[in-house]
Amino acid sequence: QARQDSEHLSENLSKLESAFTSDLENARTPQHITALQAGYLGKRSQLRGMLQSLKDLPQDIRMEYGQKYNLLKQKISKKLAEKEQNSSHQTTQTSLDDISLPGRRPPQGSLHPLTIIRNEALRFFNRRGFITVWGNELESEYYNFEALNIPKNHPARDEHDSYYLQGKSSLLLRSQTSNMQIRAGEQSSPPLAIVSPGRVFRRDTLDATHSYTFHQIEGMYINRGVSFADLKGLLIAFCRHIFGDAVKVRFRPDYFPFTEPSCEIAIEYSGKSDGWLELLGAGLMNPFVLKNMGIDPNSYSGYAFGLGLERIAMLSYGIKDIRIFYENDEDFLMQFN
């Protein structure tokens, strides 16, 4: 039986050598040669598979068969090296013979839909005097919570108080871009108008409309005599800029610790039972927050707002599942070229 196995393996080696000889003759490009190297000498090649069969043979037959295996492997390696050298020489000669041929253009990529929406939103606010500032994703409890009037044990921290660094209990991944309100206010004096885009992190279950990481733009304006009418006019103009002049916008009272009074801004939307879809939150700045910036609330007032880019992108492009933004599906992304 062992002798029959040996003869069978020898026959397979001969067939493999014949197949290699034929494939080598048909190889015309460096890519073909590379494919042959993988196919005949790679870890998953048929030749490597034959080597695994040696362990089942008696020692004397294993030595005989092993010599045949090594000779074929060396022969294949030598032939491939010669073919590769000849192919390289021919390619060099060809490129030297005709250098007037046009080059191959690399495929053109496209912006991510979230980047498109972010850039369009920033253009709207920049044209109205808002300066773009980029903030820290790794933040302290003070800037993420306490300076924004969210002390320890505050109910508003329940859904935000989550991604802390191990061994660094006071550092966490920010849960909102509102952390830039305090940092910008500390570094500049009124009048101050900023928008701060970025990624935020919250403890949430991933489904079609929720994610544990998403993108926001925080806006803030501080000056003398800033009123709720200023905020309302700006956000109505923004909604019309993104969704068209015919869009209907609703302001309804809400609660946020860092603004007072606060409101929820929604747009008319047929996809919900009540006909409205919440788009962003906003309000006049809480005097406590202004004090934490070192700004006198008796002399200055301001407003702040925060909007989610994923929701706006889903509405703008008719996307039903938030998860597709993060899957790097090329067919999906190339639609936005």
Side-chain angles (χ1 to χ4, degrees):
Q1 180 62 42
R3 176 56 60 181
Q4 290 179 353
D5 290 342
S6 175
E7 292 174 354
H8 179 67
L9 291 172
S10 296
E11 182 180 350
N12 286 343
L13 281 177
S14 298
K15 291 180 179 179
L16 186 65
E17 183 176 1
S18 298
F20 169 74
T21 301
S22 176
D23 289 342
L24 189 64
E25 290 177 355
N26 296 324
R28 297 289 184 266
T29 67
Q31 291 77 14
H32 291 157
I33 298 171
T34 300
L36 289 180
Q37 289 173 334
Y40 284 95
L41 298 177
K43 292 182 179 181
R44 298 183 180 181
S45 64
Q46 186 178 351
L47 189 63
R48 181 64 65 93
M50 292 180 182
L51 182 62
Q52 302 299 321
S53 304
L54 282 173
K55 61 184 180 188
D56 300 324
L57 297 174
Q59 183 176 0
D60 56 337
I61 299 178
R62 186 164 63 241
M63 292 179 61
E64 176 188 348
Y65 177 73
Q67 290 177 353
K68 295 180 180 179
Y69 172 90
N70 288 329
L71 288 173
L72 178 58
K73 182 179 179 182
Q74 293 171 7
K75 184 176 182 180
I76 290 175
S77 298
K78 182 180 179 181
K79 293 286 186 182
L80 284 172
E82 293 174 352
K83 188 77 172 184
E84 184 176 25
Q85 184 176 4
N86 292 336
S87 175
S88 175
H89 178 70
Q90 291 172 3
T91 301
T92 301
Q93 286 297 112
T94 300
S95 63
L96 290 175
D97 290 342
D98 188 357
I99 61 174
S100 64
L101 290 173
R104 295 181 180 178
R105 292 185 178 182
Q108 184 177 6
S110 62
L111 291 177
H112 194 281
L114 293 179
T115 303
I116 296 173
I117 294 297
R118 183 199 69 191
N119 292 348
E120 187 60 31
L122 292 179
R123 273 194 292 269
F124 172 86
F125 292 113
N126 292 158
R127 289 168 182 168
R128 285 154 181 81
F130 288 79
I131 299 172
T132 301
V133 296
W134 300 88
N136 307 339
E137 290 186 355
L138 181 61
E139 192 54 280
S140 68
E141 285 185 300
Y142 174 75
Y143 287 104
N144 198 75
F145 296 122
E146 294 159 11
L148 294 169
N149 198 30
I150 312 176
K152 290 184 182 297
N153 302 319
H154 193 288
R157 289 177 71 153
D158 288 348
E159 66 178 36
H160 297 250
D161 211 356
S162 52
Y163 293 111
Y164 283 85
L165 266 66
Q166 186 175 6
K168 299 285 186 180
S169 59
S170 63
L171 294 178
L172 72 157
L173 295 177
R174 66 178 178 184
S175 59
Q176 54 202 353
T177 49
S178 304
N179 66 320
M180 289 308 297
Q181 288 186 28
I182 306 298
R183 290 188 175 276
E186 287 179 339
Q187 297 171 10
S188 302
S189 300
L192 176 62
I194 63 117
V195 280
S196 181
R199 187 169 53 169
V200 299
F201 308 84
R202 295 184 186 177
R203 185 179 64 249
D204 212 340
T205 302
L206 186 64
D207 59 26
T209 57
H210 297 84
S211 176
Y212 47 81
T213 178
F214 54 99
H215 300 79
Q216 285 186 334
I217 292 181
E218 183 77 11
M220 179 180 71
Y221 176 54
I222 303 173
N223 205 346
R224 298 183 187 273
V226 176
S227 69
F228 200 92
D230 298 317
L231 171 64
K232 187 175 180 180
L234 176 74
L235 295 182
I236 289 176
F238 173 75
C239 291
R240 289 175 177 172
H241 176 76
I242 296 295
F243 300 109
D245 292 339
V247 68
K248 293 183 179 180
V249 184
R250 183 186 71 182
F251 287 72
R252 193 165 65 173
D254 205 336
Y255 169 76
F256 302 106
F258 34 86
T259 53
E260 181 62 39
S262 304
C263 64
E264 163 211 289
I265 295 90
I267 61 172
E268 193 173 38
Y269 179 64
S270 60
K272 293 195 69 176
S273 57
D274 64 353
W276 295 93
L277 180 67
E278 181 183 354
L279 196 64
L280 55 97
L284 294 183
M285 297 192 67
N286 192 306
F288 181 84
V289 176
L290 290 173
K291 288 180 180 179
N292 287 337
M293 299 177 186
I295 297 173
D296 182 5
N298 295 317
S299 301
Y300 293 95
S301 58
Y303 58 71
F305 57 87
L307 56 93
L309 293 178
E310 277 83 353
R311 176 159 292 185
I312 296 176
M314 291 173 76
L315 291 171
S316 298
Y317 298 119
I319 296 169
K320 303 298 184 182
D321 195 323
I322 194 173
R323 290 169 289 195
I324 197 171
F325 288 126
Y326 318 122
E327 292 175 350
N328 295 323
D329 186 299
E330 187 174 358
D331 291 334
F332 167 73
L333 295 177
M334 289 305 292
Q335 297 178 67
F336 304 93
N337 193 340

